[in-house]
Amino acid sequence: MLPLKRELSLDFSNGIAYAHEFGDAEVLSLLIPQIAQWFKGKYGSLTPPQKMAIPYIKAGYNVLISSPTGTGKTLAAFLPIIDELFRYALSGELKDQVYVVYVSPLRALNNDMQKNLIQPLSDIREHISKELGVNVDVRVAVRTSDTLPHEKSKMVKTPPHILITTPESLALALNAPKFREKLATVRWVIVDEVHELASSKRGAHLSLSLERLVDLVGNDYQRIGLSATIAPLEEVARFLAGYDDGGVPRPIVIADARFSKPIDIRIAVPRFDLVYTPASVLNEAIYEELVKLVLQHKTTLVFTNTRSATERVVYKLKKSLSSNGVLDADEIEAHHSSLSRDLRLEVEDKLKKGFLRVAVSSTSLELGIDIGYIDLVVLLSSPKSVTRLLQRVGRAGHNAYAVSKGVIIVVDRDDLVECTVLAKLAIQRKIDRVKIPKKPLDILAQHIVGMSLERPRTIDEVFRVIKRSYSYHEITEEELLSVIKYLSGKYPGLEDYSVYAKIRYDEESKVIGRKRGARMIYQLNVGAIPDEAKVIVVAVVNGRKRYIGDLEEGFAEILAPGDIFVLGGKTYRVLSLYPTYIVVEPAEGERPTVPSWFSEMLPLAYDSALEVGKFRRIIAELINFMPREYVISWIMKEYNIERHAAEHIYDYVYQQMVFTNNKVPSDRLILIELWFDTEKRTTNIIFHSLFGRRVNDVLSRAYAYVFARYLREGVKVTVTDNGFMLTFSSPIKVDEVSRLVSMVSHRNVEDIVRKAVRATELFKKRFRHCAERAFMLLRRYKGVDVSIMRRQVNAEKIIQALEIYDKFPIIEETYREILEDFMDLTHAKEVLKKIEDSEIKVEIIESDIVPSPFAHNIIAYGYSDVVLMEDKRKLIAKLQDMVKKVLEEKSKTAKEGIYHEALPTIT
């Protein structure tokens, strides 16, 4: 019985219970006195996640801990386990075996964790030695792809008690002939950054490794998950715990401390007209605001949404702050995944030591790397989800009780509306739901090969292990057999493309076994992260060459000798270009000649998109019935924004209402707008569909396919978070549009989109990724890397060869990945079903001269000749000029349906 004043009372519903928060004295009484004394001396008091989680971990329950960065959740997981290890040591029971496996998605986080564990273990050891006169040693080691062979050999002879690793390295360790047996003694598995893993194929990969580890250990071990703010917690907990052999969910306790840390989020809007102000002036205003914020704080972390933006911001800040002597250029640094590992570690180290005033990142600093004290987080433009907003802002105030302070700087009207809504939702803690990939067959193929290497297994045994994973709990035997059929070489003709069997399969006994050569293939090709084509950048400095980072292949293709671009916040001039690398020289102080390099923008989360649509609808309803001053005051009060920002929102929605005769796209209305561009002589059908880019990607491809077949011509598609546009040359009537739109339903949309994506570059690229994961295309063979270009050519040949087979598993997985992971078919079907049930209305209008105000960003995004921000803004200003004339005409004859004391100033 635990020495608590009250028992651990748990009410498990479907295997899930919620933790209570205990008092400091109660929790510390569970630890040996020396560890409790050390903790009180170092930290003083326990944080909420620690007071919730430690008692349940000590009681042996699976536990999911969810709390913001800096609230001590890592120590909440490790402290009770370290206590158990020292108890073993003091009683002489601590053996040379692995007791704990800690898994995180980042190698940098692993190295960080090792450092953060070694010091407390050393302190506790010293404390116990002084108090009890006993020397005990709890060992920690990291095993990843960076670990040197001789270090791995040492682990076989003297295994660490705590093993720190990644999902990929754990999968390799399960099949490492000598090290595998060291994992058979594992008692605890800690999975860090569960929210990051669960939402990707890496999570599915890990979930199967965890179930294979159960088989190796011989029984269930204790699972502890660490997560930042995420929802729904129940689904993430189920992902972590999985199911037992009977299909019953394993019990797990959720320590929900997501909202224990106070947050302060403010929207900053330049005091300029968001339409007519030139991009140069607006950018200057944004940087003035950013500089002001930086100088008001000790350390500022700036988040952008793309790596290209990160580079531009660092370049601009260094230029403006260091040239004026305000800050040293070395106090401003960039951090993103395309920089070399050494440069990233250097930036992280500077942050920890307090040497940086500003760090600018895209997404690479969102995860829980310890980066020391940050007192302000600035987001340039929308973070595209409430979860990401909370995660980013949570990096500020790096302790459990400090306020996490964030500022979002907006750049245009759509951005203002979106950020206003996201900030309010973040304060209300309304989090976007996580999407966990289900049944990825390429990952399954990897693990079947891994299981075949361990020992011969029956299909029933393999099926039992796989179904314990949350990611594969719904898999059918037919789906499993289709993968086994592929892996065992039962599809004739694939050998012609060097695709050979990776396992043996006896159809009579239904037993799989090891195939010669499969071990090397597994060891060299395991993993879920696809290889993206990168071009290495080598700088020549003082006659010596140094690797400084990578460029995306698409960007490298547009460069020529003499071009100047930005990487790592510094400018470089291209000297020469080769197929796999570029040679450059520093070009300090020179202006870049290439505007940007390409990165995918983050898509707006579906739940957040619905809230943005709801906000637009509410504002329109208020404008219909209340005076302008009332509505502006209401927006200011409810959303905590400044007056000029509220006026921008009011004017934007009001203009749309007047222009469309009160038809404002929202969560309940899809507005379809026909606009004939007389200048370009194109017909444009603009769908105001406020459901986020991933849903709009599905809908746009479905409608484009139907329109293209009817018109018998190609249809250009433009997709944004707030809608999409179909562009073609033929004229079309409203009734034709209505009829064609009605041809897409929730029942047939999947079939239509599968046909639409089949011949695209997207399908070819995603098939290569899936084929690589399924060992159909080998990234490395006999220790030699196979070039991405060669793999892509082979992938396209294999696709053609597979045409004769119905539902080939890797082709099916490619469709699933595109429709479910890259796009959002599930919610697209939901939208279409709501249209069919009249919960969402669809209305069609014609815009003769100019499209409506809400359409301008969609149009500017779609015109391929608009490359620079300056050109995009000029186009929007031109469209707004035309809107202004229409609105002035309409205001003279405005109907009583829209309340207007005076037409808002349109400038």
Side-chain angles (χ1 to χ4, degrees):
M1 174 64 71
L2 288 164
L4 292 176
K5 292 178 184 173
R6 61 182 187 273
E7 292 182 20
L8 293 169
S9 56
L10 290 171
D11 177 23
F12 281 102
S13 173
N14 195 28
I16 290 172
Y18 280 84
H20 304 291
E21 188 174 312
F22 293 86
D24 278 35
E26 291 177 294
V27 176
L28 292 173
S29 70
L30 302 174
L31 309 175
I32 58 176
Q34 293 76 22
I35 290 181
Q37 288 162 17
W38 165 81
F39 181 87
K40 282 195 286 186
K42 185 168 179 67
Y43 297 100
S45 62
L46 294 155
T47 63
Q50 291 164 354
K51 288 187 274 191
M52 286 182 183
I54 290 173
Y56 297 97
I57 294 172
K58 290 291 284 183
Y61 289 106
N62 297 320
V63 177
L64 172 65
I65 308 167
S66 184
S67 69
T69 302
T71 53
K73 59 178 173 284
T74 306
L75 199 54
F78 270 111
L79 195 61
I81 294 171
I82 288 171
D83 181 79
E84 289 293 318
L85 294 177
F86 274 99
R87 284 176 192 268
Y88 288 155
L90 291 172
S91 62
E93 296 174 17
L94 189 68
K95 299 173 185 175
D96 282 341
Q97 61 189 46
V98 178
Y99 288 89
V100 188
V101 173
Y102 166 91
V103 185
S104 92
L106 289 179
R107 282 174 294 179
L109 189 54
N110 285 338
N111 295 325
D112 211 44
M113 184 55 61
Q114 184 182 25
K115 291 176 193 170
N116 292 343
L117 277 176
I118 285 172
Q119 191 58 52
L121 287 170
S122 174
D123 292 346
I124 291 168
R125 184 169 59 244
E126 193 178 326
H127 215 74
I128 288 174
S129 178
K130 280 183 184 176
E131 290 266 330
L132 304 176
V134 179
N135 282 317
V136 293
D137 186 24
V138 174
R139 296 188 299 273
V140 184
V142 174
R143 186 184 179 99
T144 67
S145 57
D146 289 339
T147 308
L148 297 172
H150 79 271
E151 292 173 332
K152 290 181 180 178
S153 296
K154 280 201 299 190
M155 287 183 206
V156 174
K157 293 172 186 169
T158 311
H161 301 115
I162 301 173
L163 176 69
I164 297 172
T165 190
T166 60
E168 293 77 14
S169 293
L170 176 60
L172 285 169
L174 285 168
N175 280 103
K178 293 178 182 176
F179 190 72
R180 171 181 161 78
E181 63 190 54
K182 305 299 177 186
L183 296 173
T185 55
V186 168
R187 279 199 54 193
W188 297 275
V189 172
I190 299 171
V191 181
D192 205 348
E193 307 289 353
V194 178
H195 59 287
E196 181 71 16
L197 286 167
S199 60
S200 72
K201 284 191 175 183
R202 293 184 80 196
H205 199 285
L206 175 63
S207 74
L208 286 178
S209 289
L210 295 180
E211 296 312 327
R212 290 173 60 194
L213 183 59
V214 170
D215 267 20
L216 178 59
V217 173
N219 52 51
D220 283 345
Y221 44 80
Q222 193 175 351
R223 304 176 189 219
I224 299 150
L226 309 179
S227 173
T229 306
I230 195 169
L233 279 180
E234 290 81 2
E235 188 176 7
V236 179
R238 181 64 48 244
F239 166 82
L240 176 67
Y243 298 81
D244 64 21
D245 283 334
V248 177
R250 294 189 185 106
I252 184 165
V253 177
I254 296 174
D256 183 4
R258 289 174 297 175
F259 311 126
S260 58
K261 195 175 179 185
I263 58 169
D264 173 20
I265 300 174
R266 181 170 70 82
I267 305 291
V269 186
R271 291 182 178 275
F272 291 99
D273 185 284
L274 292 179
V275 177
Y276 287 107
T277 305
S280 56
V281 176
L282 198 62
N283 280 340
E284 206 56 48
I286 288 168
Y287 282 109
E288 281 177 17
E289 178 71 18
L290 187 53
V291 166
K292 185 176 79 176
L293 291 168
V294 165
L295 296 177
Q296 287 171 351
H297 296 84
K298 182 175 177 286
T299 309
T300 302
L301 176 57
V302 181
F303 279 108
T304 68
N305 285 348
T306 65
R307 285 168 287 182
S308 56
T310 295
E311 296 289 359
R312 287 198 305 272
V313 171
V314 169
Y315 173 76
K316 183 77 175 177
L317 284 177
K318 282 191 174 189
K319 195 174 176 184
S320 58
L321 286 169
S322 61
S323 62
N324 296 329
V326 180
L327 293 181
D328 193 304
D330 290 339
E331 293 180 282
I332 307 161
E333 295 285 6
H335 188 289
H336 59 71
S337 57
S338 286
L339 294 175
S340 68
R341 181 171 175 268
D342 289 346
L343 286 177
R344 290 199 309 271
L345 290 174
E346 194 179 306
V347 173
E348 290 161 22
D349 193 52
K350 279 184 171 182
L351 264 174
K352 284 178 205 173
K353 291 176 178 173
F355 295 160
L356 290 187
R357 289 293 300 275
V358 190
V360 187
S361 174
S362 49
T363 57
S364 55
L365 288 179
E366 282 181 357
L367 296 184
I369 302 167
D370 181 10
I371 52 174
Y373 180 73
I374 304 287
D375 51 350
L376 177 70
V377 167
V378 177
L379 293 88
L380 293 178
S381 193
S382 168
K384 296 295 176 182
S385 85
V386 181
T387 306
R388 184 173 282 107
L389 174 54
L390 287 168
Q391 175 109 354
R392 288 179 170 184
V393 173
R395 300 300 272 161
H398 201 86
N399 70 58
Y401 303 103
V403 175
S404 290
K405 188 177 173 186
V407 175
I408 311 173
I409 300 178
V410 304
V411 296
D412 60 40
R413 296 182 297 183
D414 282 335
D415 197 35
L416 169 59
V417 170
E418 193 173 297
C419 291
T420 299
V421 174
L422 292 182
K424 174 81 179 246
L425 293 171
I427 299 295
Q428 294 175 328
R429 307 308 212 268
K430 289 184 179 177
I431 311 165
D432 304 287
R433 292 167 291 173
V434 69
K435 179 81 182 298
I436 299 176
K438 296 289 182 68
K439 303 188 292 186
L441 300 180
D442 49 356
I443 298 296
L444 178 59
Q446 267 189 46
H447 280 277
I448 290 172
V449 173
M451 291 167 79
S452 76
L453 294 172
E454 295 169 7
R455 55 184 167 83
R457 294 173 183 264
T458 66
I459 294 297
D460 288 344
E461 189 182 348
V462 173
F463 195 48
R464 175 176 56 79
V465 172
I466 290 164
K467 279 184 73 72
R468 290 200 304 247
S469 155
Y470 176 82
S471 302
Y472 292 91
H473 188 60
E474 296 167 1
I475 196 166
T476 64
E477 194 165 349
E478 182 186 359
E479 288 168 325
L480 172 62
L481 286 170
S482 75
V483 177
I484 287 173
K485 185 181 173 186
Y486 144 65
L487 286 172
S488 57
K490 298 292 193 283
Y491 286 91
L494 284 179
E495 295 91 343
D496 298 339
Y497 300 90
S498 300
V499 179
Y500 302 103
K502 308 296 185 298
I503 64 171
R504 294 187 184 278
Y505 175 50
D506 187 316
E507 294 190 47
E508 283 189 25
S509 62
K510 291 194 171 181
V511 171
I512 67 166
R514 177 183 171 184
K515 185 86 173 173
R516 187 180 174 188
R519 184 176 296 280
M520 182 178 286
I521 288 171
Y522 182 85
Q523 289 172 337
L524 293 176
N525 294 276
V526 116
I529 303 171
D531 286 343
E532 294 286 357
K534 298 283 184 185
V535 177
I536 292 169
V537 181
V538 178
V540 179
V541 183
N542 299 325
R544 298 183 66 182
K545 290 182 178 180
R546 181 193 175 200
Y547 164 65
I548 56 167
D550 302 311
L551 293 178
E552 293 175 6
E553 198 172 40
F555 179 69
E557 285 172 358
I558 68 168
L559 292 176
D563 279 340
I564 297 170
F565 65 93
V566 181
L567 182 63
K570 298 181 175 69
T571 46
Y572 296 95
R573 180 183 291 103
V574 177
L575 296 177
S576 52
L577 298 103
Y578 301 90
T580 56
Y581 68 100
I582 295 173
V583 180
V584 301
E585 65 179 1
E588 192 175 338
E590 295 194 46
R591 185 180 176 185
T593 58
V594 184
S596 156
W597 43 288
F598 311 120
S599 269
E600 283 187 85
M601 286 287 290
L602 298 165
L604 180 63
Y606 176 69
D607 293 339
S608 294
L610 288 179
E611 293 289 344
V612 171
K614 180 181 174 183
F615 174 76
R616 293 190 185 208
R617 172 170 54 82
I618 289 170
I619 299 302
E621 288 169 356
L622 282 171
I623 291 173
N624 254 327
F625 300 106
M626 303 303 294
R628 184 172 192 267
E629 186 54 42
Y630 175 91
V631 178
I632 289 170
S633 298
W634 182 86
I635 296 170
M636 289 169 62
K637 181 185 172 190
E638 288 294 315
Y639 290 87
N640 191 30
I641 60 174
E642 295 176 287
R643 181 178 183 86
H644 69 285
E647 287 174 343
H648 282 312
I649 292 171
Y650 180 97
D651 292 352
Y652 190 31
V653 177
Y654 181 87
Q655 289 169 19
Q656 179 73 15
M657 292 172 72
V658 175
F659 190 93
T660 62
N661 294 323
N662 224 6
K663 292 179 177 64
V664 174
S666 71
D667 56 329
R668 295 180 187 171
L669 172 66
I670 294 175
L671 182 65
I672 301 174
E673 185 174 355
L674 271 70
W675 171 57
F676 183 71
D677 185 346
T678 52
E679 193 174 307
K680 292 185 177 288
R681 305 203 62 77
T682 57
T683 300
N684 299 277
I685 306 179
I686 303 155
F687 289 73
H688 297 272
S689 167
L690 303 177
F691 304 108
R693 187 160 10 123
R694 292 176 64 233
V695 168
N696 286 340
D697 208 344
V698 176
L699 297 177
S700 65
R701 288 175 191 267
Y703 291 130
Y705 183 83
V706 170
F707 275 76
R709 284 173 68 87
Y710 173 75
L711 297 166
R712 299 190 178 185
E713 69 165 285
V715 174
K716 182 189 170 188
V717 181
T718 301
V719 185
T720 74
D721 287 313
N722 296 321
F724 54 93
M725 180 171 70
L726 309 182
T727 303
F728 42 89
S729 57
S730 304
I732 197 165
K733 296 176 182 176
V734 169
D735 61 337
E736 290 177 296
V737 172
S738 179
R739 183 168 57 81
L740 292 171
V741 165
S742 69
M743 290 171 67
V744 178
S745 71
H746 79 282
R747 291 186 183 86
N748 67 11
V749 65
E750 182 172 356
D751 289 337
I752 294 172
V753 179
R754 280 171 72 114
K755 290 172 186 170
V757 302
R758 183 62 184 82
T760 62
E761 289 300 316
L762 173 66
F763 187 88
K764 294 172 189 174
K765 180 183 173 186
R766 293 283 171 158
F767 175 79
R768 172 172 66 80
H769 292 171
C770 294
E772 287 167 0
R773 295 190 197 97
F775 300 157
M776 180 176 275
L777 289 167
L778 301 181
R779 291 178 282 192
R780 282 164 285 279
Y781 183 63
K782 293 185 178 179
V784 178
D785 286 357
V786 181
S787 74
I788 290 181
M789 188 177 295
R790 183 177 166 189
R791 279 181 263 155
Q792 189 63 56
V793 170
N794 290 343
E796 291 172 26
K797 289 178 182 175
I798 292 170
I799 289 172
Q800 292 172 355
L802 293 173
E803 295 284 0
I804 60 172
Y805 296 114
D806 183 41
K807 296 203 169 184
F808 185 81
I810 311 309
I811 291 284
E812 288 302 303
E813 175 53 30
T814 306
Y815 281 123
R816 191 211 62 78
E817 180 180 308
I818 290 171
L819 294 175
E820 293 291 353
D821 301 347
F822 178 69
M823 301 179 193
D824 188 353
L825 177 66
T826 303
H827 288 124
K829 285 182 176 179
E830 184 179 294
V831 169
L832 289 167
K833 184 71 168 64
K834 286 183 176 179
I835 292 171
E836 292 155 29
D837 294 341
S838 300
E839 291 178 43
I840 295 176
K841 290 183 178 179
V842 178
E843 295 198 34
I844 304 175
I845 62 170
E846 288 185 277
S847 298
D848 299 327
I849 305 165
V850 63
S852 68
F854 281 11
H856 296 180
N857 265 331
I858 300 171
I859 292 162
Y861 192 85
Y863 277 23
S864 57
D865 56 342
V866 177
V867 178
L868 301 174
M869 178 62 73
E870 189 71 51
D871 296 331
K872 178 183 171 182
R873 294 191 62 80
K874 282 177 183 174
L875 173 60
I876 291 174
K878 179 182 173 184
L879 292 171
Q880 185 66 17
D881 276 338
M882 296 162 77
V883 164
K884 181 179 175 183
K885 291 176 184 174
V886 173
L887 292 180
E888 284 171 350
E889 286 299 314
K890 288 197 175 223
S891 67
K892 295 171 185 175
T893 56
K895 297 178 182 177
E896 293 179 5
I898 299 177
Y899 186 102
H900 63 288
E901 292 175 301
L903 185 70
T905 306
I906 304 163
T907 58

